[in-house]
Amino acid sequence: MKISRLRLVHYRNYTDETVEFGDGIQLICGKNAQGKTNLLEAIYYCSTMRSHRTLQDQHLIQKEEASFLIDLSLQRGRQKEQLRVCVNEKGKNLFIHRNPILRVSDFIGEVNAVLFCPDDLQLFTASPKVRRRFIDIEISKLSRRYTQTLAMFQRLLRERNALLKQKEPDLVYLQVVTERMCACEMVILQQRHAFLNELFVFCQPFYSHFAQDDTSIGFEYHTVLDLDHLKDEQLLKEKYEKGLVRDQMSGQTNLGVHKDDVIFTIEGKNINSYASQGQKRTLLLSMKLAITAMIKEKLGEYPILLLDDVFSELDAHRCRQLMEVLPQDMQIFISSAQPIEQEMLAGKVADVFEVTDGTIQRRVLDE
């Protein structure tokens, strides 16, 4: 999978900019606050239908404009796709080959992009909601069923919470909604656990490559059911029944997969209390590379890898280790505010683009 052409109209600081990309490494260079991260963000938005920097789509629209547009030409083997995303205050308008896509869940996954950025380190220290979002986004790249099931669960959860806030809710209907939620949760929690298991199988070799030792990495998955009962839908229903009075008193659903959390570990210990910043950064980068390998194995093609300001996060030795392990046949966007020399790329060829105040121009890499 690769992006051959990208057009941004009124997106962040881009007024109307079109750029064509090649295979392999695409270096996005320029000073700070010129639009490098905005470019990577636009690609990531097409993959997940959300920004990694803001929850408000309105923040992505250029000042004093009413909407933004992203046109993207995607090549998958010999097949070409034309994707369009247009966002205004009323919502998203999505198109594939000029045909409107009515459900966001049917658009997610057309562009498969994996992002590494400095703010990702918050994954380990932030609230459980952030870690759930990370898991949900990454599984959605692998399973459309998961995306649709999660969307259904979230609608049912909102409906159940609305019923719980009523003074005299219809208890029969409340039970129907709860049972439908349980069916969704069976899919969600099983896929989350399976994803985490597989992620760390793929992740360990990458971590060992960077750390140059046999340090073990892992996770603890905390969910509504014990790990030995992840397929016990009846047990989940019983938990909801036992918690009904509490839910009615609080006016919200107090248990379920929307409360899940995952703790990442090094040598069996919580990464937050045990690991250094360097170990956390190495684990995070290893996880992102593991996800690209998982996508390749399951879908038959590499995703697009977005590395935002990665060279400032790693020392020279780690940078070279990273470049050595990156696959030749994966399209990789690397943004950098610092000068990039050919020797930093470990022999790999790169297309270079200079971003200046929302304009993009191709240039030659320094020797």
Side-chain angles (χ1 to χ4, degrees), residues 28-295:
I28 313 299
C29 302
K31 297 179 181 179
N32 289 325
Q34 301 301 303
K36 302 185 302 297
T37 297
N38 294 344
L39 176 63
L40 270 60
E41 178 189 43
I43 296 172
Y44 188 71
Y45 188 93
C46 291
S47 176
T48 63
M49 289 292 98
R50 66 175 74 189
S51 164
H52 65 289
R53 296 191 291 171
T54 178
L55 297 176
Q56 302 295 323
D57 285 350
Q58 297 300 308
H59 295 167
L60 307 177
I61 301 173
Q62 194 173 38
K63 189 177 180 181
E64 298 182 357
E65 298 296 336
S67 64
F68 75 74
L69 179 143
I70 304 174
D71 269 337
L72 188 148
S73 298
L74 190 69
Q75 190 163 339
R76 313 177 77 159
R78 296 183 179 180
Q79 184 179 1
K80 295 182 179 180
E81 288 187 10
Q82 296 297 129
L83 308 179
R84 169 168 288 192
V85 176
C86 186
V87 175
N88 55 36
E89 62 180 7
K90 295 182 180 179
K92 300 177 175 71
N93 295 288
L94 310 174
F95 303 87
I96 301 177
H97 295 306
R98 300 183 182 273
N99 298 315
I101 305 300
L102 301 181
R103 296 192 304 181
V104 170
S105 59
D106 290 337
F107 193 90
I108 292 175
E110 290 300 315
V111 180
N112 244 332
V114 175
L115 170 71
F116 172 90
C117 68
D119 289 344
D120 283 345
L121 275 177
Q122 297 176 9
L123 176 70
F124 303 124
T125 57
S127 68
K129 180 179 179 181
V130 173
R131 287 184 286 279
R132 287 195 301 272
R133 184 185 302 130
F134 161 74
I135 294 170
D136 291 340
I137 288 173
E138 301 307 336
I139 300 178
S140 293
K141 297 169 185 175
L142 295 163
S143 170
R144 183 152 287 173
R145 181 192 180 199
Y146 183 87
T147 307
Q148 294 170 347
T149 303
L150 182 64
M152 174 62 74
F153 169 77
Q154 290 168 340
R155 287 195 294 270
L156 291 167
L157 178 62
R158 289 192 294 270
E159 189 171 0
R160 188 175 194 270
N161 286 341
L163 287 168
L164 291 169
K165 288 179 171 64
Q166 296 176 6
K167 289 185 177 180
E168 296 183 4
D170 184 336
L171 295 180
V172 174
Y173 184 54
L174 180 63
Q175 183 177 357
V176 170
V177 172
T178 302
E179 290 179 353
R180 292 179 64 193
M181 279 177 54
C182 289
C184 292
E185 288 180 278
M186 286 293 102
V187 174
I188 293 167
L189 63 86
Q190 289 172 39
Q191 286 211 31
R192 283 178 177 174
H193 188 244
F195 166 78
L196 288 165
N197 271 326
E198 193 165 6
L199 172 64
F200 277 85
V201 170
F202 279 86
C203 188
Q204 184 68 64
F206 285 112
Y207 188 87
S208 298
H209 169 78
F210 290 121
Q212 295 292 292
D213 61 33
D214 58 358
T215 301
S216 66
I217 55 175
F219 69 95
E220 297 173 3
Y221 179 41
H222 300 280
T223 188
V224 60
L225 295 177
D226 294 336
L227 297 185
D228 293 335
H229 298 91
L230 292 185
K231 296 183 180 181
D232 195 337
E233 187 173 345
Q234 182 58 39
L235 179 59
L236 181 58
K237 292 177 181 178
E238 291 172 3
K239 284 180 174 287
Y240 272 112
E241 186 176 346
K242 290 178 181 179
L244 180 57
V245 173
R246 180 190 176 198
D247 288 352
Q248 288 180 297
M249 291 179 63
S250 63
Q252 64 180 354
T253 303
N254 290 286
L255 63 85
V257 295
H258 58 294
K259 302 289 186 178
D260 281 3
D261 195 11
V262 57
I263 304 300
F264 299 101
T265 63
I266 289 183
E267 294 294 329
K269 300 176 182 178
N270 189 327
I271 191 171
N272 288 323
S273 59
Y274 181 77
S276 67
Q277 284 297 103
Q279 287 177 308
K280 291 178 182 178
R281 191 174 290 109
T282 299
L283 176 57
L284 181 62
L285 184 58
S286 299
M287 287 166 61
K288 296 303 179 81
L289 294 175
I291 291 167
T292 68
M294 289 171 65
I295 292 173

Side-chain angles (χ1 to χ4, degrees), residues 6 8 11-14 21 26-44 52-53 115 306-310 312 333-340 353-360 363:
L6 178 68
L8 302 177
Y11 186 93
R12 295 280 195 180
N13 68 327
Y14 290 97
F21 297 111
Q26 312 296 299
L27 281 181
I28 313 299
C29 302
K31 297 179 181 179
N32 289 325
Q34 301 301 303
K36 302 185 302 297
T37 297
N38 294 344
L39 176 63
L40 270 60
E41 178 189 43
I43 296 172
Y44 188 71
H52 65 289
R53 296 191 291 171
L115 170 71
L306 308 172
L307 300 174
D308 188 19
D309 203 23
V310 69
S312 70
F333 290 78
I334 305 175
S335 70
S336 178
Q338 65 188 67
I340 304 298
F353 302 87
E354 184 83 25
V355 179
T356 306
D357 195 22
T359 63
I360 307 170
R363 72 169 176 81

